[in-house]
């Protein structure tokens, strides 16, 4: 397989095509001579696959051969005029498939926007052989046949509409058997550029403004036409060639008046293709000067990026390093070390990012700025747009398909400072100079389902390496792994230990909750309530953090202990008071609150535990007048509600914000006097080796929302287990102490960063089958990994959506080559297990470096 060679006389051309399916490897297709000049790397081609399916596959390699295999299927057509990816993207995909144990097709599926990812659409057409409609048609068959005599083809969706019913396949099938219709596959491409009707002056007026007097004379008798012309000139001053709709609205004139102006040769309406993504219209501002600390940090970062004195230096440390990659693939140039910027909350990390972005842009490079999805809608986008204007391209989940395609094309052409969540990694960068991973510790950088199950931060490190770009990881609470890498010299460490300006770190206190409450209403202590009162009276705002949504996470029977559970998951249902129902947080199942216990008939049922709804309720008991807003998954689901809540809070219309970890994400408010953490115990008791790290990060982050600008803020943490060392560390803002203690524990139990983890999850509809599969795995894994294999065991939640789960966790020495071998072997083992009788329906999920 070679890339991009020219066909020579007598040779046949073959294309290696990647299909958007979970299949290993690529498929070879013959390129017919008439398409040979069009087919090239990175273009999508239409190919047959399977019985009657057509797919848009991607050409990833071409080869010439003198004698070919005549059984190979042909490429049917070439979809793109120019490639949709550069070769470097293909290398990235291959690395990801390899490292995260999935197929390149799955990576492509995640990478390409829907509009670039055609699969065939089935259409019903009349059978070619059919000359006349037979007499014996049922009424429904007649309806379809009639529709087909008007429209040459119907989509399945159309058929459903005509018949007003959901199941139509049996009917279509019958009609096929009768020889009435046949199915046809068609590839649909649905991207269309956005075109607007715009208005401009005709000649001679366009180039000779003095002539306009004459134009006004021509329209003097019509008030509407005069208004139109005036409105045009007014609009045009702000933006050349205004939109027709805007003009008509401004002038308050009917369309016919515009038509009249066109006839008189004064104005001209034409269609213009406009960008859906580069639409910032605000004012540009220059960024404020850097503080001394920021200057120093920037200098240290630049120094770390400077090309290493001896070329061997960087390569050497990469070998010994402990990051989860061993970069394969050739980087464009010697890549510089990743930098970890550890700056406390409020130190002004964003200001540093802006400076680095500026320099990259000046050097003509592209920038990728990654953020957790939820943080994208807010302040940060505006902050960057104020400095960089339309160069800022925002890639988030709410973009529509057309916008995605436009953004893709802009990036392909080498434009853009791209702000995006983890999936922005897949955009077709070609001149990437800088990658920033903000809040790099965030767990949302991890993609859980479906494949590729990748860690976005780690993948960004590899992407930067591949593109020869600089990379900066930023956080007030770095991931243990990142900090460890920095301490070991694999990353450069730059720290900012002071807040920007006059702002001080908040005062943190722990409120002991032992023996206070269990079932009672009092989840808010007297101290916390008094502090809320005082804060509000001082004219400041409050954030209450409770990491569980809903009203109560369980309904139990007092008599026999029964719990109301999900029908298809082994998990208790959460009571949502606002919707008056019990909900499963794993599959979305919901039902009514049980009135009596189905096991013992008792009516003595009680709600156990508490979530954000209950806290909101309790607040209202103490402060009926208070303006409280909840911010959790339930209240931000609607489009724009997240941004709206934040805006209202920023403007002071909300006095208390009660929320889940959404309230901890890098928000910057001026008047938060108090942050309350309702239950530290819930965070600390999570059954996971990362629980302490998560709890520390969440508490420090949410505490960081308190007291910016002049006033010192206050943080109150309610906890039953007050002796937990993490609380002490949060109290003292002691990241170093936390890091040292936690690292010692990880070492004792051989957890990352000292080991690498690989989790295997088995899923099957039948408990017996999943157990069988687990036994086969264990018999093969135990001899190899011994005590470093944990499980097979039923996880915390053993059944989800009717599927039984079993997990195994493997701990491996951090030796990349050895790990790569294990991965290959495990994949083969998986294929073998699935081939055993009765296990074809088994799902095997590999998670590399799970979090
Ligand atoms: P971090 O992300 O490190 O928590 P931010 O970047 O949000 O901190 O900065 C904290 C606050 O300080 C923000 O309100 C920001 O506008 C302000 N700030 C930071 N650096 C500067 C600067 N150089 N000039 C003016 N304001 C700054
Ligand atoms: Zn009972
Ligand atoms: Zn469920």
């Amino acid at each position: 397989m070679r890339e991009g060679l020219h066909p020579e006389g007598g040779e046949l051309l073959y294309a290696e095509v990647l299909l958007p399916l979970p299949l290993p490897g690529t498929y070879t297709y013959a390129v017919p001579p008439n398409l040979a000049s069009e087919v090239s790397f990175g273009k999508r081609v239409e190919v047959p696959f399977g019985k009657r399916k057509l797919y848009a596959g991607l050409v990833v390699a071409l080869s010439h051969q003198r004698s070919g295999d005549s059984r190979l299927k042909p490429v049917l057509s070439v979809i793109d005029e120019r490639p949709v990816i550069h070769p470097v993207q293909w290398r990235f995909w291959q690395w990801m498939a390899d490292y995260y144990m999935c197929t390149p097709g799955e990576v492509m599926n995640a990478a390409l926007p829907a509009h670039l990812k055609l699969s065939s659409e089935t259409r019903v057409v009349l059978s070619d052989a059919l000359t006349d409609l037979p007499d014996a048609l049922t009424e429904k068959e007649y309806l379809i046949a009639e529709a087909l005599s008007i429209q040459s083809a119907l989509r399945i969706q159309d058929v459903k509409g005509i018949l007003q019913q959901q199941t139509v396949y049996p009917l279509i099938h019958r009609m096929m058997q009768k020889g009435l219709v046949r199915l046809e596959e068609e590839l649909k491409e649905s991207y269309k550029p956005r075109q607007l009707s715009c208005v401009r002056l005709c000649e001679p007026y366009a180039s000779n403004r003095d002539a306009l007097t004459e134009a006004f004379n021509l329209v003097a008798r019509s008030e509407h036409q005069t208004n139109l012309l005036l409105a045009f000139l007014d609009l045009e001053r702000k933006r050349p060639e205004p939109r027709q709709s805007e003009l008509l609205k401004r002038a308050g004139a009917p369309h016919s008046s515009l038509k009249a102006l066109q006839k008189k040769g004064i104005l001209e309406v034409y269609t213009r293709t406009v960008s859906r993504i580069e639409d910032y219209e605000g004012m540009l501002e220059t960024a404020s000067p850097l503080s001394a600390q920021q200057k120093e940090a920037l200098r240290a970062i630049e120094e770390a990026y400077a090309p290493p004195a001896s070329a061997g230096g960087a390569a050497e440390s990469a070998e010994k390093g402990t990051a989860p990659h061993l970069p394969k693939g050739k980087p464009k140039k010697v890549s510089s070390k990743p930098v970890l910027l550890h700056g406390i909350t409020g130190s002004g990390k964003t200001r540093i990012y802006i400076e680095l972005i500026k320099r990259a842009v000046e050097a003509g490079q592209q920038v990728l700025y990654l953020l957790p999805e939820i943080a994208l809608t807010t302040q940060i986008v505006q902050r960057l747009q104020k400095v960089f204007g339309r160069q800022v391209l925002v890639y988030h989940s709410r973009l529509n398909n057309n916008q995605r395609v436009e953004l893709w094309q802009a990036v392909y052409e080498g434009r853009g400072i791209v702000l995006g969540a983890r999936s922005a990694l897949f955009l077709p960068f070609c001149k990437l100079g800088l990658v920033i991973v903000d809040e790099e510790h965030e767990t949302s950088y991890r993609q859980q389902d479906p494949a590729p199950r990748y860690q976005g931060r780690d993948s960004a490190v590899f992407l930067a390496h591949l593109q020869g770009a600089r990379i900066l990881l930023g956080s007030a609470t770095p991931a243990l792994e990142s900090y460890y890498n920095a301490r070991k010299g694999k990353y450069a460490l730059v720290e900012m230990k002071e807040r920007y300006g006059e702002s001080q770190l908040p005062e943190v206190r722990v409120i002991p909750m032992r023996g206070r409450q269990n079932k009672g209403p009092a989840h808010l202590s007297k101290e916390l309530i008094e502090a809320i009162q005082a804060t509000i009276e001082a004219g400041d705002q409050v954030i209450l953090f409770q990491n569980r949504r809903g009203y109560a996470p369980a309904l139990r029977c007092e008599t026999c202990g029964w719990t109301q559970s999900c029908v298809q998951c082994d998990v208790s249902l959460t009571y949502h008071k606002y919707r008056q129902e019990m909900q499963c947080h794993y599959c979305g199942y919901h039902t009514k609150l049980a009135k009596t216990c189905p096991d013992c008939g008792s009516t003595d049922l009680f709600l156990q535990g508490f979530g954000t709804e209950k806290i909101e309720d309790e607040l209202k008991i103490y402060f009926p007048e208070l303006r409280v807003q909840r911010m959790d998954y339930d209240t931000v689901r609607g489009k724009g509600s997240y941004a709206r809540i934040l805006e209202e809070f920023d403007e002071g219309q909300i006095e208390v914000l009660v929320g889940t970890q959404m309230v901890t994400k890098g928000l910057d408010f001026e008047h938060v006097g108090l942050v309350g953490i309702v239950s530290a115990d819930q965070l600390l008791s999570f059954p996971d080796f990362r629980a302490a790290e998560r709890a520390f990060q969440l508490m420090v982050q949410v505490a960081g929302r308190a007291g910016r600008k002049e006033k010192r803020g206050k943080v109150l943490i309610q906890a039953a287990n007050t002796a937990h060392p993490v609380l002490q560390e949060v109290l003292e803002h002691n990241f170093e102490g936390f890091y040292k203690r936690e690292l010692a524990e990880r070492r004792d139990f051989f957890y990352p960063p000292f080991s690498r983890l690989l989790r295997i999850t088995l899923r099957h509809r039948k408990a017996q089958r999943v157990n069988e599969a687990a036994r086969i795995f264990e018999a093969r894994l135990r001899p190899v990994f011994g005590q470093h294999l944990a499980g097979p065991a039923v996880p915390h939640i053993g059944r989800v959506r009717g599927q039984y789960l079993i997990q195994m966790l493997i701990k491996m020495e951090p030796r990349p080559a050895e790990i790569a071998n294990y991965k290959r072997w495990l994949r083969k083992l998986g294929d073998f297990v699935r081939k055993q009788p009765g296990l074809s329906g088994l799902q095997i999920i590999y998670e590399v470096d799970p979090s």
Side-chain angles (χ1 to χ4, degrees):
M1 256 180 276
R2 293 157 293 169
E3 284 176 13
L5 289 187
H6 294 292
E8 289 161 27
E11 287 195 331
L12 299 164
L13 185 60
Y14 293 92
E16 291 301 318
V17 176
L18 180 64
L19 296 168
L21 299 169
L23 301 164
T26 55
Y27 285 76
T28 310
Y29 287 88
V31 180
N34 62 322
L35 295 180
S37 62
E38 275 179 68
V39 172
S40 69
F41 172 88
K43 286 187 183 177
R44 290 170 306 151
V45 289
E46 184 185 2
V47 291
F49 188 81
K51 269 221 172 93
R52 212 194 274 114
K53 282 276 180 201
L54 300 183
Y55 284 97
L58 199 69
V59 177
V60 292
L62 292 166
S63 63
H64 299 280
Q65 278 153 34
R66 286 216 169 266
S67 62
D69 185 341
S70 59
R71 284 165 310 174
L72 287 179
K73 289 182 181 162
V75 167
L76 299 176
S77 72
V78 182
I79 298 168
D80 297 306
E81 278 175 22
R82 58 167 199 197
V84 298
I85 61 165
H86 303 284
V88 66
Q89 272 80 47
W90 172 228
R91 291 216 290 278
F92 183 57
W93 295 0
Q94 284 174 298
W95 168 80
M96 184 170 273
D98 231 38
Y99 189 87
Y100 289 107
M101 299 179 78
C102 62
T103 70
E106 286 171 319
V107 181
M108 172 167 78
N109 250 342
L112 292 184
H115 277 10
L116 292 183
K117 207 167 46 183
L118 321 177
S119 72
S120 53
E121 184 173 34
T122 308
R123 305 192 313 165
V124 183
V125 298
L126 282 180
S127 194
D128 304 322
L130 198 70
T131 45
D132 242 337
L133 285 186
D135 300 331
L137 286 183
T138 67
E139 192 185 332
K140 284 179 179 172
E141 287 170 351
Y142 184 77
L143 278 173
I144 301 299
E146 192 187 47
L148 279 173
S149 61
I150 303 165
Q151 267 171 278
S152 59
L154 294 174
R155 295 174 309 146
I156 300 297
Q157 205 53 39
D158 302 332
V159 176
K160 289 180 182 172
I162 291 167
L163 300 179
Q164 299 277 304
Q165 66 186 41
Q166 275 305 308
T167 26
V168 294
Y169 282 103
L171 174 80
I172 293 172
H173 190 67
R174 229 181 314 128
M175 290 180 77
M176 282 165 69
Q177 283 177 331
K178 288 189 187 173
L180 295 169
V181 299
R182 64 181 172 81
L183 295 181
E184 198 182 74
E185 299 281 319
E186 193 198 33
L187 286 175
K188 269 240 174 297
E189 180 148 46
S190 37
Y191 167 72
K192 286 194 188 61
R194 180 180 181 193
Q195 299 194 312
L196 285 182
S197 297
C198 297
V199 185
R200 62 188 169 206
L201 282 172
C202 300
E203 289 302 344
Y205 311 110
S207 39
N208 178 11
R209 295 284 161 143
D210 293 338
L212 274 173
T213 334
E214 186 190 317
F216 274 106
N217 285 337
L218 284 172
V219 299
R221 273 192 294 149
S222 158
E223 194 182 327
H224 278 320
Q225 291 175 27
T226 309
N227 283 346
L228 262 173
L229 199 50
L230 284 170
F232 173 84
L233 293 171
D234 188 32
L235 278 177
E236 196 201 24
R237 231 173 301 150
K238 289 191 202 105
R239 189 150 30 110
E241 313 192 359
R243 297 171 191 172
Q244 173 183 301
S245 56
E246 210 179 340
L247 175 62
L248 290 172
K249 202 165 129 210
R250 169 69 68 96
H255 196 237
S256 55
S257 308
L258 183 59
K259 276 258 181 298
L261 282 172
Q262 284 173 263
K263 254 207 200 120
K264 289 179 182 165
I266 299 172
L267 288 180
E268 180 186 4
V269 177
Y270 69 102
T271 336
R272 183 159 52 123
T273 305
V274 297
S275 172
R276 289 186 175 90
I277 48 169
E278 290 152 301
D279 56 358
Y280 180 71
E281 283 171 10
M283 301 284 283
L284 293 189
E285 291 170 15
T286 40
S288 48
L290 297 170
S291 68
Q293 180 183 237
Q294 286 167 335
K295 272 191 198 141
E296 174 50 29
L298 194 64
R299 191 201 55 75
I301 292 169
E302 289 288 359
E303 191 181 289
Y305 284 145
S310 69
E316 200 183 310
S317 66
E319 294 275 296
K320 276 190 298 192
T322 46
H325 333 276
L326 226 220
K328 203 171 81 176
K330 275 175 285 164
K332 273 193 197 160
K333 47 189 174 190
V334 183
S335 46
S336 41
K337 247 190 207 185
V339 174
L340 175 65
L341 175 61
H342 175 208
I344 63 166
T345 56
S347 56
K349 293 183 287 295
T350 319
R351 186 62 192 81
I352 302 230
Y353 302 155
I354 289 177
E355 210 51 39
L356 290 169
I357 294 171
K358 230 191 249 166
R359 294 173 189 195
V361 169
E362 278 163 17
Q365 298 168 330
Q366 291 177 295
V367 175
L368 171 60
Y369 185 148
L370 291 178
L371 278 161
E373 170 79 32
I374 190 80
L376 265 175
T377 38
T378 54
Q379 301 160 341
I380 188 69
V381 175
Q382 293 159 11
R383 251 165 103 178
L384 287 191
Q385 281 179 328
K386 274 188 187 149
V387 182
F388 299 106
R390 292 187 185 193
Q391 286 171 289
V392 177
L393 305 177
V394 188
Y395 193 64
H396 55 73
S397 60
R398 290 167 313 282
L399 288 185
N400 66 35
N401 288 330
N402 283 324
Q403 289 170 321
R404 268 163 218 267
V405 172
E406 283 188 22
L407 202 136
W408 186 274
Q409 286 168 351
V411 174
Y412 182 88
E413 287 161 9
R415 285 188 280 144
I417 298 165
V418 179
L419 234 72
R422 58 168 189 261
S423 61
L425 283 170
F426 295 118
L427 290 168
F429 294 99
C430 54
K431 295 194 296 190
L432 194 59
L434 173 68
V435 180
I436 293 167
V437 185
D438 196 8
E439 312 286 354
E440 63 90 31
H441 64 280
E442 274 287 335
T443 48
S444 59
Y445 279 121
R446 173 95 208 169
Q447 156 111 353
Q448 301 287 0
D449 251 329
R453 298 178 177 84
Y454 63 99
Q455 159 48 268
R457 178 225 314 140
D458 296 346
S459 303
V461 172
F462 182 75
L463 180 73
H465 169 77
L466 200 60
Q467 297 242 6
R470 298 168 160 191
I471 178 158
L472 183 77
L473 311 178
S475 174
T477 51
L480 212 73
E481 280 95 334
S482 302
Y483 199 70
Y484 180 77
N485 280 332
R487 277 306 189 74
K488 287 272 145 185
K490 163 126 215 229
Y491 298 169
L493 180 65
V494 176
E495 303 200 86
M496 291 201 291
K497 300 190 170 175
E498 318 258 294
R499 281 188 158 187
Y500 173 79
E502 305 291 287
S503 177
Q504 280 182 303
L505 278 176
E507 169 204 349
V508 187
R509 277 203 302 131
V510 174
I511 302 172
M513 297 293 280
R514 193 179 298 284
R516 283 212 198 184
Q517 96 286 352
N518 219 342
K519 290 182 243 162
H523 295 104
L524 302 176
S525 59
K526 193 164 142 275
E527 292 90 326
L528 185 52
I529 289 173
E530 283 168 5
I532 293 172
Q533 174 109 36
T535 308
I536 299 297
E537 276 169 8
D540 282 340
Q541 292 166 300
V542 178
I543 291 178
L544 290 185
F545 168 54
Q546 164 57 18
N547 206 22
R548 200 171 252 169
R549 67 193 170 94
Y551 190 84
L555 179 73
R556 266 184 219 292
C557 170
E558 185 84 80
T559 318
C560 76
W562 169 84
T563 307
Q564 190 172 5
S565 304
C566 179
V567 288
Q568 48 178 359
C569 309
D570 284 342
V571 62
S572 68
L573 295 174
T574 298
Y575 178 52
H576 286 250
K577 189 175 179 190
Y578 170 71
R579 316 194 103 222
Q580 294 282 318
E581 65 185 20
M582 301 293 287
Q583 287 180 9
C584 173
H585 287 183
Y586 287 80
C587 72
Y589 169 82
H590 52 92
T591 183
K592 286 210 184 78
L593 191 72
K595 292 254 163 22
T596 53
C597 170
D599 283 5
C600 73
S602 163
T603 52
D604 203 358
L605 306 182
F606 70 97
L607 288 164
Q608 195 181 41
F610 57 101
T612 45
E613 276 190 359
K614 188 157 195 181
I615 298 304
E616 186 188 15
D617 250 32
E618 236 177 75
L619 268 177
K620 286 190 179 141
I621 299 174
Y622 296 106
F623 307 101
E625 309 281 292
L626 208 60
R627 282 166 294 163
V628 180
Q629 172 68 51
R630 193 150 48 80
M631 184 157 89
D632 53 27
Y633 180 72
D634 300 310
T635 61
V636 305
R637 232 177 297 192
K639 203 179 170 192
S641 11
Y642 177 73
R644 197 179 58 241
I645 293 174
L646 292 183
E647 203 169 295
E648 284 175 14
F649 191 64
D650 208 19
E651 288 167 359
Q653 297 170 42
I654 296 167
E655 290 166 300
V656 181
L657 193 62
V658 181
T660 55
Q661 49 174 299
M662 276 178 199
V663 300
T664 68
K665 316 252 158 166
L667 305 167
D668 178 23
F669 299 112
E670 285 183 33
H671 304 289
V672 178
L674 172 70
V675 166
I677 295 170
V678 181
S679 170
D681 309 301
Q682 271 179 15
L683 298 173
L684 289 164
S685 62
F686 206 73
D688 183 277
F689 79 93
R690 284 199 173 88
E693 180 182 359
R694 288 283 127 73
F696 179 83
Q697 288 164 343
L698 280 169
M699 286 193 270
V700 170
Q701 291 285 346
V702 73
R705 306 307 123 214
R708 303 192 141 200
K709 296 275 151 80
E710 300 83 26
K711 261 194 235 171
R712 185 164 189 213
K714 201 176 198 178
V715 179
L716 296 182
I717 305 176
Q718 300 192 140
N721 179 11
T722 49
H724 202 295
V726 164
L727 288 177
Q728 194 59 35
E729 288 146 7
V730 173
L731 227 101
E732 293 164 357
H733 309 281
N734 183 2
F735 180 81
E736 290 277 310
F738 162 75
Y739 167 76
K740 282 213 185 86
R741 194 183 45 75
E742 184 64 19
L743 206 61
E745 267 184 41
R746 299 277 180 95
R747 191 192 306 261
D748 287 350
F749 294 97
F750 195 47
Y751 271 118
F754 301 99
S755 66
R756 294 284 173 276
L757 300 184
L758 201 158
R759 183 159 59 210
I760 306 174
T761 305
L762 307 176
R763 274 206 298 231
H764 200 285
R765 291 238 142 237
K766 294 203 177 111
Q768 183 208 343
R769 294 293 183 212
V770 81
N771 288 340
E772 270 170 44
R775 273 183 224 112
I776 306 177
F777 264 102
E778 186 179 17
R780 303 223 170 19
L781 297 185
R782 185 69 66 199
V784 178
F785 298 107
Q787 54 156 357
H788 288 158
L789 168 69
V794 176
H796 184 50
I797 290 160
R799 192 175 54 121
V800 172
R801 292 173 198 274
Q803 302 260 3
Y804 290 87
L805 307 182
I806 286 196
Q807 286 187 335
M808 290 162 276
L809 187 70
I810 300 170
K811 296 177 188 169
M812 296 175 285
E813 294 287 344
R815 291 192 281 262
E818 194 177 299
I819 292 176
N821 283 336
Y822 282 140
K823 286 178 187 165
R824 270 191 292 277
W825 175 66
L826 286 168
R827 281 216 223 195
K828 282 199 200 119
L829 178 58
D831 293 342
F832 166 78
V833 174
R834 245 193 314 248
K835 283 200 193 99
Q836 301 310 301
L839 292 181
S840 59
L842 179 76
Q843 290 176 58
I844 305 172
I845 293 151
Y846 302 100
E847 284 170 281
V848 179
D849 310 326
S851 39

